[in-house]
Amino acid sequence: MEASRIALPIGTALDRFIKNNQDQFQYASGELSQLLRDIALASKVVNREINKAGLIDIMGAMGSQNTAGDQQQKLDVLANIRFTRALTKGGEAAALISEETESFVDLTNDGKYIIAIDPLDGSSNIDVNVSIGTIFSIYRRKTKEGEPINDEDILQMGDEQVAAGYILYGSSTMLVYTTGHGVNGFTYEPTLGEYVLSHPDMKMPENGKIYSINEGSANSFSESVKSYIQYCKDNNYTARYIGSLVADFHRNMLKGGIYIYPATAKDPNGKLRLMYECNALSFIAEQAGGIASDGKGRVMEIKPKDLHQRTPFYVGSKKMVERAIGAK
Ligand code: AHM
Ligand code: MG
């Protein structure tokens, strides 16, 4: 963060923090602030639903009805609705790219921003009460107001993100975001209904000893991934894999570690999605001093051809990622 800026103390509310840092943003700062507020608000609603997921029937299949005759929603679909609604009402986003919808959603409000979102990542962990997350990227729209949204707006590179973040619904709920001036983390205080600054200017340790990979698919990993895993074992590293990308990423960012989802026989381009999973976490990793690669180059330099495109993903502490991709 710039030296001239007054560092706000731990406990500062998200809203105040956003206002204090508005001038760091090169475009109309009030609009981005509003967007972040909309996302934060929707995340509080989603957090509320997640916390009662075991009590009400929102884990069941789509199409069933509850006693009130309402349609039952799967939590990931419900989360998609919450974020879409908040962003539509907020008015700053022109279109939404989501894991839950086949093509982009035109929010028909002529906003200046495009949002890519995974409303609920790690959703297989919902039913077993394990941490899950939301991941989002914010881009400037390229077409002018009044023009129809087109591929130029939608298929932007990670390097074109103006902000990105995630919400981790874990033992506490956290919102972590960057606008390209470092990374800051906020913990949700449920009795106040506020996110408060708890992790200012987050930095990823340059090196670490935690590796996160689904080793069940090891037979189909490339020789270089296999040999990196062997290196981790030879050096008594710790294996930790939650199966929720946000949670694995967050732990590795705080403690030092690497997350890998490589190409496998089942998923030759990896499993994770470039536009609403990998780009946001790559931006945050780089802003915190880490690295994100597809095994060949920077993830954020990949020019997307499809909004649901997948990519192999190596992200985490700089030295670990460099070794894993054979760069050093
Ligand atoms: P999802 O978007 O369907 O939830 O899938 C993404 C998740 C990541 O959160 C997680 O790291 C990965 O899939 C786990 O996949 P696997 O079970 O193949 O290891
Ligand atoms: Mg996902």
Side-chain angles (χ1 to χ4, degrees):
M1 306 196 109
E2 283 108 61
S4 59
R5 185 167 308 283
I6 308 157
L8 290 172
I10 284 177
T12 301
L14 175 65
D15 232 39
R16 175 141 183 251
F17 185 91
I18 291 173
K19 272 197 205 105
N20 187 66
N21 292 284
Q22 279 200 150
D23 61 314
Q24 283 183 335
F25 192 63
Q26 58 176 308
Y27 307 105
S29 47
E31 293 167 355
L32 181 79
S33 303
Q34 184 57 43
L35 260 178
L36 289 168
R37 277 196 290 266
D38 294 340
I39 290 169
L41 176 64
S43 77
K44 291 179 196 176
V45 178
V46 170
N47 182 59
R48 192 185 62 194
E49 313 284 3
I50 291 168
N51 283 337
K52 58 187 182 183
L55 299 174
I56 56 169
D57 191 12
I58 47 177
M59 299 192 291
M62 291 281 291
S64 57
Q65 288 191 339
N66 65 16
T67 46
D70 298 328
Q71 281 291 312
Q72 300 278 263
Q73 312 275 9
K74 270 186 166 175
L75 207 43
D76 41 9
V77 175
L78 197 62
N80 191 45
I81 293 169
R82 296 294 186 219
F83 283 102
T84 308
R85 196 174 288 167
L87 291 164
T88 307
K89 284 192 180 158
E92 314 295 352
L96 188 74
I97 299 157
S98 166
E99 175 162 354
E100 299 301 326
T101 45
E102 195 51 40
S103 50
F104 72 86
V105 181
D106 189 336
L107 299 178
T108 64
N109 58 24
D110 236 4
K112 293 199 183 81
Y113 294 89
I114 308 289
I115 315 292
I117 193 163
D118 184 349
L120 215 51
D121 184 65
S123 44
S124 64
N125 277 327
I126 297 171
D127 294 9
V128 290
N129 206 357
V130 171
S131 301
I132 44 184
T134 295
I135 308 172
F136 62 91
S137 292
I138 303 179
Y139 296 88
R140 289 280 292 178
R141 173 186 177 175
K142 300 220 162 161
T143 47
K144 298 204 169 56
E145 284 171 48
E147 289 175 6
I149 303 292
N150 65 27
D151 278 359
E152 213 197 332
D153 298 313
I154 300 302
L155 299 177
Q156 298 195 44
M157 282 193 303
D159 266 342
E160 294 172 282
Q161 291 170 102
V162 294
Y166 60 80
I167 296 115
L168 171 59
Y169 310 96
S171 47
S172 61
T173 295
M174 278 194 72
L175 186 152
V176 174
Y177 81 92
T178 183
T179 55
H181 299 269
V183 180
N184 289 283
F186 299 79
T187 300
Y188 185 57
E189 216 298 12
T191 56
L192 298 175
E194 291 261 26
Y195 283 104
V196 295
L197 182 63
S198 53
H199 295 64
D201 201 13
M202 297 171 83
K203 293 284 176 230
M204 197 174 244
E206 202 182 29
N207 211 346
K209 289 203 155 213
I210 298 173
Y211 69 107
S212 310
I213 186 166
N214 184 346
E215 231 183 313
S217 312
N219 283 348
S220 68
F221 292 166
S222 66
E223 287 310 313
S224 71
V225 173
K226 282 183 191 161
S227 88
Y228 181 70
I229 294 173
Q230 193 54 50
Y231 171 86
C232 294
K233 291 176 179 171
D234 293 344
N235 287 277
N236 294 317
Y237 282 12
T238 296
R240 289 282 183 274
Y241 190 74
I242 296 170
S244 275
L245 173 59
V246 173
D248 279 313
F249 175 88
H250 184 74
R251 181 204 48 245
N252 292 351
M253 180 157 74
L254 293 180
K255 300 203 161 184
I258 185 170
Y259 174 98
I260 306 176
Y261 208 113
T264 63
K266 188 166 155 251
D267 296 301
N269 294 315
K271 176 188 179 189
L272 300 177
R273 315 294 183 127
L274 174 65
M275 294 218 60
Y276 41 77
E277 291 176 332
C278 302
N279 273 338
L281 299 186
S282 299
F283 193 14
I284 291 168
E286 288 193 7
Q287 284 293 315
I291 290 188
S293 169
D294 67 351
K296 296 188 199 109
R298 285 178 68 239
V299 168
M300 291 202 288
E301 287 174 24
I302 301 172
K303 177 79 189 127
K305 294 189 181 72
D306 180 89
L307 55 89
H308 296 292
Q309 178 170 331
R310 296 171 196 270
T311 179
F313 197 39
Y314 301 67
V315 67
S317 292
K318 182 170 179 289
K319 291 204 159 138
M320 297 181 85
V321 177
E322 281 174 350
R323 181 176 284 276
I325 62 176
K328 283 229 171 109

